[in-house]
Amino acid sequence: DPVEDKQVVNAPATEAARDKQQKIKERFQSWVWEDEPRRERLCRLYNDRFNGVRLRTFNGDHLQLSGASDAIILRPHQKAAIWRILQTPNTLLAHVVGAGKTYTLVAAAMELKRLGLARKPLFVVPNHMLEQFSSELLTLYPAANILVATKEDFEKERRQTLMSRIATGNWDAVIVTHSGFERVPLSQATQEAFFTEQITSLENAILEQRTEARGSRLVKELEKAKKRLETKLKELLAEGQKDTGLTFEELGVDRLMVDEAHHFKNLFYVSKMTRIAGLPQTASQRALDMFLKVRHIQQTNSGGGVVFATGTPIANSVAEMFTMQRYLQLSALQALKVDHFDAWAGTFGEPVTAMELSPDGSGYRLNTRFARFINVPELMGQFRQVADVQTAAMLKLPVPELRGGKPTVISSPCSPELKDIVSKLVDRAEKLRSGNVDPCDDNMLLVTTDGRKAALDLRLYDPGFPDLPDSKVNRAVGEVERIWRETASQRSTQLVFCDMSTPGSGFSVYDDMRDKLIVRGIPSAEIAFIQDYDSDADKASLFKDVRSGRVRILFGSTAKMGSGTNVQAKLIALHHLDAPWRPADVEQRDGRIRRQGNTNPEVQIYRYVTAQSFDGYMWQCLETKAKFIAQVMTGDSSLRRLEDVDGAALTYAEVKAIASGNPLVIEKANVDAELARLTRLRTQHVEANFRIRSQIRNLTDEIPRLERRLEALREDCARRVDTRGDWFVIQLGSESITDRGIAGEMLIRLADRTKSLSDDRVVGRFAGFELSAAPMGNGKAQLYLKGSVRHSVNIQSTAHGTTRSLEHLVQNLEETAIQGHDHLVQSRKRLVDLKEQVDQPFEYAARLAEFAVKQQELIEMLDLNRNAAPTTEGTVEIRSASESSS
C-alpha cells in the first residue's frame, strides 16, 4: 500500500521501526513494476529515505601475498580487487585496458590456494597470450607449480594425457587457451539437463503467451527457439558418449579465472524485441560452453568460484551487461525476476528513435535503437555488486599523454570514382529495400562491406582502379615515414591497425604500404606483419623485437594485435586505417600505446577517414554503441536515465562529421554535443532540486524528534543508578543478582524462552531502568532498557559478554547524548544550507535555449524534415538536400 509504505518509510529511525523498514527495502527490490509513475514516485521516496544501498568497498592494503616476488609491487586497486575476489562469490574485474589484470588474477588465485579456499584454479586466456600469461605468472610467483596446456596438447592423440595430468596433479594453476578450453568436454548428463531445463522454460513461455493472446509473432519466435534446442538435444543424444575420457567435471577444477571474458559475450537469449536495432541476434557455441562450465563451478562452490576479467565488459550492445550478469549473478537476477532478457530490458532499458546517416552514406533516416538506460541507480547497484569497475579516470595510471588531448583525424577527399561507387551502392540498397533481390545474391552486409572496402582503398573494390595520391592509405604512408625519421635516434616504434585487406591473395593494403615504405628508405627488417607469426614462440619473439626497437613498424588487425599485445615500451604512434565495428575494439587498439610501461611521455594516435564514404557510417555506429557503454561504466547514479554522448563518444562524432564533408553537419555535430551536455546538466539540476526539497521535508520532521530524543537521553542520564565495580546488581524476577556471570547466564536463558513469544516480556530492572526481552522475528531475541528512551542491547554468545553489553550501554549514556546533540546541531545547519540552495535557477538556461534554436535551424538548413517516407523495415528514410534537388 503506497500510503502505508510512506508512513513506514518516514517513521522515526528507531529500533522498533527498522524491521518494517527492512521489509520495505526488500519489497522494493522484488516488485515487478508495471505502473511507471508509481515506480518513479516510490523509488524516489525509497532513495531519499534510505539513500539507496551503499556499495561495499574493499581495501587490500593489509595483504602480504606470501610467495610473491618482492620485485613486483602491486598497486592499491590491484590489492583491493584481490581482497574482493577472496571475499565475494563471483567477481568481474572491469578494469580499464592496461590496469594490470593479469597480476590481479594470478595473486588472487594463489591466495585462494594458500588459504585453502581453492584446490585447483584454472586460467582461461586468449590464444596468443598463453606464453605471456605464463611468464607473468612465474614472474610474480617464481616457485609456482603450474601446468601450461599448449595447442599441441589438445590434439586428439595427446588430449587424454593432458586431461589425466590436470586431474591427477596438485597444480597451483592450470593455464589453457580460449580454444583449448572449448575442447575440454562436458559430460552428456550436464548438457542434457541444461537443454531440458531450457526447453521446459520455453514451453511455459509459449503457453503463457497463447493464454494471454499477445500475438502470434512472439509465439513463433519462441517455438523456433524451442525447436533449435530440441535439435541440439537430439544431436547430443544420438552422438552419445563417443569420447570415453575424462570430462570437465572430473578434472577437479574448483575455481575458474577467465581473462578477456568479452570474447564469450554471444550467449543465447530469447527476446520478443527482434525488430529493434542494437541487440545481437547471434549465439555462439563457445559462449554456451562457457556458461555450462561456469554453472558447474558455481554449483560446486555454493554459487561462487568464477572470476571474469576484461577491460571492455560491454563491447558492443546493451545485452552484454545482461550476459555478464547471467554468468556471474544468475541467482540474483532470478530473485529479482529479471533473469529473462525482456524482463531485464523492460526494467532497465528502453529504445530510442533518432536521426542517423543511412548505411550507404547518401542520406539520413530515423531508426529505433536500444540505446538508453533507465532506473540507473538500481541497475548499477545490482551490477556493481559483482563488477569491480575501474576506469582510466578513477585510476589515473601513469600512462603517456595524448598529443592534442585527442586523436588526430586525417581526412582524405572523396574522389569521383568513390562517388560513383557510392551511387551504385545506393542503387543496390534501394533494390534490397524494395524486396526484389534474393538475400543470397545481395544483402546489406555485402553492400556495407563493399562500401568499407572502397572507403579504405578503391583497389579493394576493383583492382583496376588507380592508386590515388590523396587516398588515406597514401597519407598514412607519409605519416608513418615522417614519424619513423623523426624518432630514429630513439628507435621509437609504431603500430598500424587495419582489419580489412589483411595479407593474402589479391591486393592487400598491408603489402602496398610496406612496399611504399621500403621505397622511401625504411629497411624491410624493421617492418613486420603480425599475421606472419603463428606460433606462441614466434609471437613472443616478435613482441620482444618491437619492445627493443629492432622492429619499428608493426601491422596487424584488432583480433591479432588487440587485447594482450604488450609492446608499448617504445611506442610513439598508433594508426587506425579503418574503423572497427565495436567501441571496445577502438579501446583495445588505443590501449596498446596508452599503457603503463611506455617510456614516451607523449604519444600520437591517428585516425584516417575518407570524406563522404562509409567511414562516416562506421564512426557513427561507434558513437551510438559508445553512448550507453561509457555512461554505464562512469554514470552518475543520481540520474535515473542516461543516453547523452560523453567525451569519448564525442570523438567519434567529430570523426563522423569530418568524414561527411559538409560543414553544416560538422557544425550540427558540435551543437548536438553541446546541447546534450547542457540537457544533462539541466536534468541534474532538476533532480538535485527534487532531492533537496525532499531532504528539507525530512529534516523539518526529524529535528523535533531529535530534540525530544536528546531531552529524553538527558533524563535517562539523571535517573541512572551506578552499577560499576562492586555496586553491580540486577533484578531478574524476584531475585537480586550481584554476580555478573550468573546474571549473564540467566539473561541468555530468558532470551531463549522469549524467542517463541509474540510480544515483549518484562524480565526485571537494571541501573534504574526497566529491563525487557523481545523476539526479533528471525529466531533471535534482544534485550531492552526502558527509561525515557528505549535502548536496545544485543545478546552475546557468552554470559560475561552479555552483562558487559548492558553495563557499557548504561555507562555511556552521556556519550550517546553528546552524539545526539552533535547530530541535532548538524541537522539544523544542514537545514539552513539546504534552504539556501533550493529552487536556484538553472545557470545555463539561456545557453540551452540558444542551442536548441540553433539545432532546429541547422535541421531546417540540412533539410532533414523533408521527403520523409516509410520504408518496408518500419523506419523513415530522410534524403539529404542535395539528393532531393537532384
Side-chain angles (χ1 to χ4, degrees):
D1 186 325
V3 176
E4 180 186 349
D5 289 345
K6 186 172 182 178
Q7 291 172 349
V8 174
V9 170
N10 286 330
T14 61
E15 293 294 333
R18 287 179 185 170
D19 187 47
K20 289 184 178 180
Q21 290 175 347
Q22 181 60 35
K23 291 178 180 178
I24 295 293
K25 289 183 183 181
E26 295 170 356
R27 189 152 67 234
F28 269 86
Q29 294 169 356
S30 64
W31 279 348
V32 179
W33 301 93
E34 294 181 358
D35 181 357
E36 176 70 19
R38 183 167 182 260
R39 171 172 60 179
E40 290 284 339
R41 183 174 64 252
L42 290 183
C43 282
R44 288 179 188 277
L45 177 64
Y46 167 78
N47 286 325
D48 286 337
R49 181 59 184 171
F50 296 111
N51 296 319
V53 178
R54 188 179 186 277
L55 292 173
R56 182 180 178 186
T57 58
F58 297 86
N59 188 322
D61 292 344
H62 63 285
L63 293 175
Q64 297 298 318
L65 302 182
S66 176
S69 170
D70 294 334
I72 305 297
I73 300 176
L74 298 184
R75 294 184 175 275
H77 77 272
Q78 292 174 299
K79 284 194 170 185
I82 294 167
W83 184 239
R84 180 176 190 140
I85 292 171
L86 295 176
Q87 292 291 308
T88 58
N90 302 302
T91 305
L92 170 63
L93 294 182
H95 293 189
V96 67
V97 175
K101 293 183 290 295
T102 298
Y103 282 153
T104 302
L105 286 174
V106 168
M110 291 300 177
E111 280 296 285
L112 288 168
K113 175 88 173 177
R114 183 182 69 83
L115 295 171
L117 301 176
R119 297 187 303 277
K120 192 178 298 179
L122 176 68
F123 292 90
V124 185
V125 304
N127 297 347
H128 65 282
M129 287 180 58
L130 183 65
E131 183 166 337
Q132 176 184 309
F133 192 97
S134 307
S135 174
E136 291 188 18
L137 189 153
L138 292 176
T139 301
L140 185 58
Y141 286 90
N145 180 28
I146 67 173
L147 173 62
V148 181
T150 65
K151 181 179 179 181
E152 291 74 20
D153 289 325
F154 280 98
E155 293 177 356
K156 187 173 182 180
E157 60 273 10
R158 299 176 62 178
R159 192 184 313 160
Q160 288 308 318
T161 301
L162 173 64
M163 296 295 103
S164 299
R165 291 186 67 197
I166 295 175
T168 58
N170 182 26
W171 307 106
D172 292 328
V174 178
I175 309 173
V176 302
T177 62
H178 285 177
S179 58
F181 183 70
E182 192 176 354
R183 299 179 70 179
V184 177
L186 278 161
S187 70
Q188 185 178 6
T190 297
Q191 299 179 68
E192 185 179 343
F194 174 76
F195 286 130
T196 303
E197 173 189 327
Q198 296 301 311
I199 290 171
T200 302
S201 176
L202 284 173
E203 287 175 345
N204 293 335
I206 291 170
L207 181 61
E208 179 184 351
Q209 294 297 323
R210 285 175 173 166
T211 302
E212 298 184 7
R214 293 185 181 178
S216 60
R217 184 178 65 83
L218 180 55
V219 172
K220 289 179 181 178
E221 293 291 337
L222 293 172
E223 287 178 339
K224 287 179 183 178
K226 178 189 170 186
K227 287 181 180 178
R228 286 194 294 268
L229 288 177
E230 288 175 340
T231 301
K232 288 185 178 181
L233 181 58
K234 288 178 182 178
E235 291 174 354
L236 178 67
L237 295 175
E239 183 178 295
Q241 189 74 19
K242 290 183 180 179
D243 195 342
T244 57
L246 294 172
T247 63
F248 178 75
E249 295 89 336
E250 297 170 320
L251 297 181
V253 171
D254 61 342
R255 292 280 172 168
L256 192 59
M257 309 281 187
V258 184
D259 195 16
E260 304 299 345
H262 59 272
H263 290 298
F264 301 91
K265 66 184 178 61
N266 290 328
L267 183 61
F268 82 99
Y269 67 94
V270 178
S271 172
K272 65 183 178 182
M273 295 184 288
T274 56
R275 298 188 181 183
I276 295 180
L279 297 178
Q281 303 297 331
T282 58
S284 70
Q285 180 61 36
R286 168 191 287 187
L288 177 59
D289 177 77
M290 174 62 74
F291 185 61
L292 294 178
K293 289 171 181 174
V294 163
R295 282 178 33 134
H296 168 72
I297 294 294
Q298 290 170 342
Q299 287 169 1
T300 60
N301 284 281
S302 302
V306 179
V307 180
F308 277 15
T310 172
T312 50
I314 306 175
N316 194 44
S317 80
V318 67
E320 290 166 24
M321 176 181 277
F322 174 68
T323 297
M324 288 295 175
Q325 289 185 297
R326 284 179 72 195
Y327 278 123
L328 304 174
Q329 287 184 293
L330 185 58
S331 59
L333 294 181
Q334 290 170 342
L336 296 172
K337 294 181 171 54
V338 290
D339 51 314
H340 292 288
F341 179 74
D342 286 355
W344 185 89
T347 305
F348 300 122
E350 62 185 28
V352 176
T353 301
M355 181 270 293
E356 296 181 352
L357 279 169
S358 59
D360 52 38
S362 64
Y364 299 89
R365 67 177 182 177
L366 289 176
N367 197 22
T368 301
R369 289 185 173 274
F370 204 122
R372 176 184 292 160
F373 282 109
I374 60 175
N375 300 323
V376 172
E378 292 79 9
L379 172 62
M380 293 310 300
Q382 185 67 35
F383 182 61
R384 292 208 178 194
Q385 287 180 23
V386 70
D388 188 69
V389 178
Q390 297 290 343
T391 65
M394 296 175 184
L395 296 179
K396 294 180 174 57
L397 297 172
V399 298
E401 294 295 326
L402 187 58
R403 181 176 295 180
K406 60 182 179 181
T408 301
V409 178
I410 297 179
S411 179
S412 298
C414 181
S415 66
E417 294 88 350
L418 180 56
K419 289 181 180 178
D420 183 59
I421 291 172
V422 172
S423 177
K424 292 178 181 178
L425 295 178
V426 172
D427 294 337
R428 286 170 59 184
E430 288 294 342
K431 292 178 181 178
L432 288 169
R433 204 168 283 118
S434 65
N436 296 326
V437 181
D438 188 337
C440 297
D441 298 330
D442 198 8
N443 53 61
M444 283 306 298
L445 180 59
L446 293 175
V447 171
T448 305
T449 301
D450 286 344
R452 294 183 68 202
K453 288 180 179 179
L456 178 57
D457 195 293
L458 292 176
R459 292 168 292 175
L460 288 172
Y461 183 81
D462 184 345
F465 277 113
D467 181 10
L468 301 176
D470 285 336
S471 71
K472 67 179 183 180
V473 170
N474 285 321
R475 292 201 171 187
V477 169
E479 291 297 324
V480 171
E481 181 208 358
R482 176 185 62 80
I483 296 170
W484 179 83
R485 295 191 184 281
E486 290 176 354
T487 61
S489 59
Q490 300 91 5
R491 297 199 66 79
S492 298
T493 58
Q494 303 179 64
L495 295 183
V496 182
F497 277 99
C498 181
D499 289 349
M500 302 190 72
S501 184
T502 54
S505 59
F507 174 79
S508 167
V509 168
Y510 282 58
D511 295 327
D512 183 65
M513 289 189 66
R514 178 185 59 187
D515 294 343
K516 290 174 179 176
L517 290 171
I518 292 174
V519 169
R520 293 182 181 218
I522 299 179
S524 60
E526 296 186 9
I527 305 173
F529 299 163
I530 198 170
Q531 287 83 356
D532 294 337
Y533 299 81
D534 291 329
S535 70
D536 295 333
D538 288 343
K539 287 180 181 176
S541 177
L542 170 65
F543 293 165
K544 183 178 180 181
D545 288 343
V546 177
R547 287 192 291 267
S548 65
R550 284 191 289 271
V551 172
R552 295 186 57 198
I553 303 170
L554 179 60
F555 288 78
S557 63
T558 309
K560 293 281 187 180
M561 203 166 65
S563 58
T565 302
N566 295 337
V567 294
Q568 67 272 16
K570 291 178 175 287
L571 277 181
I572 191 66
L574 183 144
H575 306 266
H576 297 274
L577 287 184
D578 55 6
W581 279 109
R582 308 180 305 174
D585 294 335
V586 179
E587 187 173 349
Q588 289 289 355
R589 287 180 176 188
D590 291 348
R592 299 314 101 206
I593 190 169
R594 299 201 67 197
R595 196 178 188 89
Q596 297 180 83
N598 193 330
T599 56
N600 292 303
E602 185 180 71
V603 297
Q604 308 158 51
I605 295 178
Y606 294 90
R607 293 177 180 169
Y608 300 87
V609 299
T610 302
Q612 296 175 299
S613 72
F614 268 49
D615 284 342
Y617 178 68
M618 292 301 302
W619 287 109
Q620 176 194 263
C621 288
L622 290 169
E623 171 196 338
T624 303
K625 294 171 185 176
K627 287 181 182 179
F628 65 87
I629 295 175
Q631 288 165 345
V632 169
M633 300 307 293
T634 62
D636 181 357
S637 62
S638 65
L639 295 178
R640 300 209 61 79
R641 284 181 170 81
L642 283 176
E643 60 176 317
D644 299 329
V645 183
D646 74 338
L650 288 181
T651 303
Y652 304 139
E654 290 168 359
V655 174
K656 178 188 69 175
I658 291 171
S660 73
N662 187 336
L664 289 179
V665 177
I666 297 174
E667 183 180 357
K668 185 175 183 300
N670 294 329
V671 169
D672 288 347
E674 182 64 10
L675 192 61
R677 187 183 71 85
L678 293 172
T679 302
R680 183 170 58 212
L681 289 175
R682 184 183 62 181
T683 302
Q684 291 175 327
H685 175 77
V686 171
E687 296 204 358
N689 266 326
F690 181 89
R691 289 195 304 274
I692 290 172
R693 286 194 293 270
S694 298
Q695 291 170 9
I696 289 174
R697 288 195 302 270
N698 291 336
L699 285 172
T700 302
D701 294 338
E702 185 178 12
I703 287 174
R705 290 196 295 268
L706 292 175
E707 292 171 343
R708 290 194 297 270
R709 177 177 172 78
L710 179 59
E711 183 61 30
L713 283 171
R714 289 169 176 165
E715 292 175 1
D716 284 350
C717 290
R719 79 168 62 187
R720 179 189 53 196
V721 175
D722 193 358
T723 60
R724 290 175 294 180
D726 294 337
W727 292 342
F728 177 85
V729 62
I730 185 171
Q731 185 79 25
L732 293 177
S734 58
E735 297 183 52
S736 295
I737 302 168
T738 57
D739 185 280
R740 288 178 171 83
I742 295 175
E745 288 288 350
M746 293 185 67
L747 286 172
I748 292 173
R749 291 176 186 175
L750 288 170
D752 284 338
R753 289 197 291 269
T754 308
K755 292 177 183 177
S756 58
L757 301 179
S758 58
D759 298 318
D760 297 7
R761 175 186 178 190
V762 177
V763 296
R765 293 187 65 82
F766 178 69
F769 299 93
E770 181 183 88
L771 178 63
S772 62
M776 294 288 291
N778 56 358
K780 297 181 180 179
Q782 190 147 9
L783 298 176
Y784 292 95
L785 289 176
K786 184 179 180 182
S788 298
V789 177
R790 194 180 191 213
H791 309 274
S792 63
V793 183
N794 291 325
I795 299 291
Q796 305 298 320
S797 58
T798 63
H800 282 284
T802 301
T803 52
R804 276 198 298 269
S805 294
L806 274 173
E807 290 187 276
H808 181 270
L809 186 149
V810 171
Q811 292 165 12
N812 285 273
L813 283 177
E814 286 87 354
E815 183 178 344
T816 304
I818 292 171
Q819 292 174 354
H821 178 266
D822 292 343
H823 188 192
L824 177 60
V825 171
Q826 292 170 4
S827 297
R828 287 170 175 167
K829 183 177 182 301
R830 177 67 174 157
L831 181 59
V832 172
D833 293 341
L834 289 173
K835 286 182 177 179
E836 293 177 356
Q837 298 173 21
V838 72
D839 293 330
Q840 291 287 335
F842 178 48
E843 182 180 359
Y844 305 105
R847 185 172 175 83
L848 177 62
E850 175 190 348
F851 273 83
V853 172
K854 188 177 294 186
Q855 183 190 56
Q856 189 60 39
E857 290 174 351
L858 287 169
I859 289 174
E860 293 175 0
M861 294 171 69
L862 286 168
D863 210 10
L864 300 180
N865 290 326
R866 278 185 60 192
N867 300 331
T871 68
T872 56
E873 297 176 345
T875 61
V876 177
E877 191 72 22
I878 304 178
R879 295 295 179 195
S880 65
S882 59
E883 185 182 357
S884 299
S885 60
S886 66

